[in-house]
Amino acid sequence: MKPRGFTQPLYILPFDHRGSFETKMFGWHEPLTAQQTAEIAAAKQVIYDGFQKAIADGVDKAKAAILVDEQFGAAILRDAAAKGFHFAMAAEKSGQEEFDFQYGEQFAEHIEAFQPTFSKVLVRYNPEGYPPLNKEQAQRLKRLSDYLQKAGRALFMFELLVPAERQQLEKLNGDKKAYDLELRPQLMIRAIEELQDAGVEPDVWKIEGLDAQEDCKKIVKTARRDGRDNVSCIILGRGEDDAKVREWLATAASVDGFIGFAVGRTDFWDPLVNMRAGKITRDEAAAEMAKRYREFVDLFEGAKKG
């Protein structure tokens, strides 16, 4: 079996949002009509155009990547493959508290059909959460991990979210910022260790933003423990405002083992809203997305050098 890991710079523009896209951007709910599905797919094409413009304007293609879903982005996935872009493809059902495969027992067939650079999962896992749920999620994730390792079709990207349990917030008087600063970093370490011990072996961990450099270092150390020397981390934007995302990127970039980022909504949400409202043209929206993406790339690379 090939050794786990990916160590090259990786700057992802993610737009695999599904449920949030349907309800918050368009105000729609499942089941969608064919026209509604086409309209969402067209909006995602604008984001993809912005990504391509950023590369045309100077972002290194070898370091750039997109993350998109098959439901609304199948045509984009095929085009990205044809053009030789790095691309990640979502494998999880959208909007669920518990991880499950988007396509059930056919999950491998869909990976085989597109052969993405990365097969990505988003997982909500708190080590102090409901133990049977954590165990069941880990078992499903191990199936995917084992398949990817054996098939060699795609690398494994794991987006770890550690939402606060009620009793954890109560100890902090309901202060979510205090949870992010004081409790979430250590819970993330425990979650990674538990998942690794359960046989879940990502090549890249997608990590919620961290405010302290020392916490970033501890996350990398955990991701690379016990010989996992080439496993890397990227920082995600979590839909935060521009200033907070820049702060998180700069902090992560200063730590060896953080190879890049995945920033989506902060890139594309406002330009897309303004385009749909008729305030800017389609080309202007794509250009604004490209500009923001390039700025995040420049920020990360500058902080890495610094």
Side-chain angles (χ1 to χ4, degrees):
M1 289 190 176
K2 63 182 177 63
R4 287 295 195 195
F6 184 86
T7 57
Q8 302 169 32
L10 185 62
Y11 309 134
I12 301 178
L13 176 53
F15 49 106
D16 60 323
H17 312 72
R18 283 155 284 167
S20 61
F21 224 71
E22 294 168 20
T23 58
K24 295 178 183 178
M25 178 68 71
F26 290 86
W28 298 333
H29 297 275
E30 296 279 358
L32 302 179
T33 66
Q35 178 60 36
Q36 289 171 331
T37 298
E39 205 167 323
I40 294 174
K44 294 202 172 194
Q45 182 65 49
V46 179
I47 304 170
Y48 181 48
D49 288 351
F51 170 79
Q52 293 180 90
K53 178 171 173 50
I55 291 176
D57 290 346
V59 172
D60 188 344
K61 179 181 176 181
K63 301 175 182 178
I66 58 168
L67 162 58
V68 71
D69 56 287
E70 182 180 345
Q71 181 181 0
F72 300 115
I76 293 170
L77 289 166
R78 293 188 187 97
D79 190 75
K83 291 178 177 173
F85 294 133
H86 293 307
F87 64 100
M89 178 176 156
E92 80 281 349
K93 281 185 180 177
S94 176
Q96 293 201 162
E97 294 302 311
E98 175 183 352
F99 168 79
D100 202 356
F101 295 104
Q102 174 71 39
Y103 298 103
E105 291 301 312
Q106 286 73 48
F107 72 88
E109 295 173 22
H110 289 260
I111 295 169
E112 297 280 348
F114 290 92
Q115 297 192 25
T117 317
F118 299 95
S119 179
K120 166 262 176 186
V121 294
L122 181 152
V123 180
R124 295 170 177 85
Y125 187 106
N126 189 314
E128 295 182 358
Y130 185 50
L133 174 59
N134 283 348
K135 182 178 180 181
E136 187 171 348
Q137 290 196 111
Q139 289 172 343
R140 289 176 184 160
L141 291 159
K142 184 180 186 302
R143 284 188 65 198
L144 179 60
S145 181
D146 289 347
Y147 159 74
L148 291 171
Q149 176 74 345
K150 183 178 179 180
R153 295 295 190 195
L155 298 170
F156 189 14
M157 178 177 291
F158 194 112
E159 180 174 348
L160 173 65
L161 302 183
V162 185
E165 293 289 316
R166 181 175 54 82
Q167 68 273 17
Q168 293 168 341
L169 274 181
E170 286 175 352
K171 291 178 182 178
L172 298 167
N173 299 314
D175 189 338
K176 292 185 178 180
K177 288 186 178 180
Y179 171 78
D180 279 342
L181 280 169
E182 300 170 20
L183 195 52
R184 178 164 60 81
Q186 55 187 282
L187 291 170
M188 293 167 76
I189 289 169
R190 287 173 55 191
I192 292 171
E193 289 175 343
E194 285 186 12
L195 288 160
Q196 289 171 334
D197 290 345
V200 182
E201 297 287 356
D203 298 281
V204 175
W205 289 92
K206 237 180 125 186
I207 298 295
E208 291 182 88
L210 295 165
D211 292 272
Q213 184 188 63
E214 191 58 35
D215 287 330
C216 288
K217 290 179 180 178
K218 290 176 181 177
I219 291 290
V220 170
K221 183 178 180 181
T222 305
R224 291 184 165 177
R225 72 186 181 114
D226 296 339
R228 300 175 177 89
D229 298 345
N230 292 322
V231 173
S232 298
C233 301
I234 57 175
I235 205 79
L236 62 91
R238 208 174 66 172
E240 284 285 354
D241 62 54
D242 187 80
K244 191 63 179 178
V245 169
R246 289 173 181 270
E247 181 184 321
W248 281 342
L249 261 60
T251 300
S254 68
V255 174
D256 287 340
F258 271 89
I259 59 172
F261 59 81
V263 177
R265 282 172 290 178
T266 314
D267 269 322
F268 68 71
W269 195 269
D270 288 346
L272 209 52
V273 168
N274 290 333
M275 182 196 78
R276 296 191 69 245
K279 296 179 181 178
I280 60 176
T281 67
R282 186 186 191 285
D283 287 347
E284 288 170 338
E288 177 62 23
M289 295 172 197
K291 173 177 173 289
R292 293 185 183 197
Y293 176 69
R294 290 199 321 273
E295 287 176 353
F296 289 134
V297 170
D298 290 344
L299 185 157
F300 193 91
E301 293 198 331
K304 180 69 75 176
K305 291 175 184 176

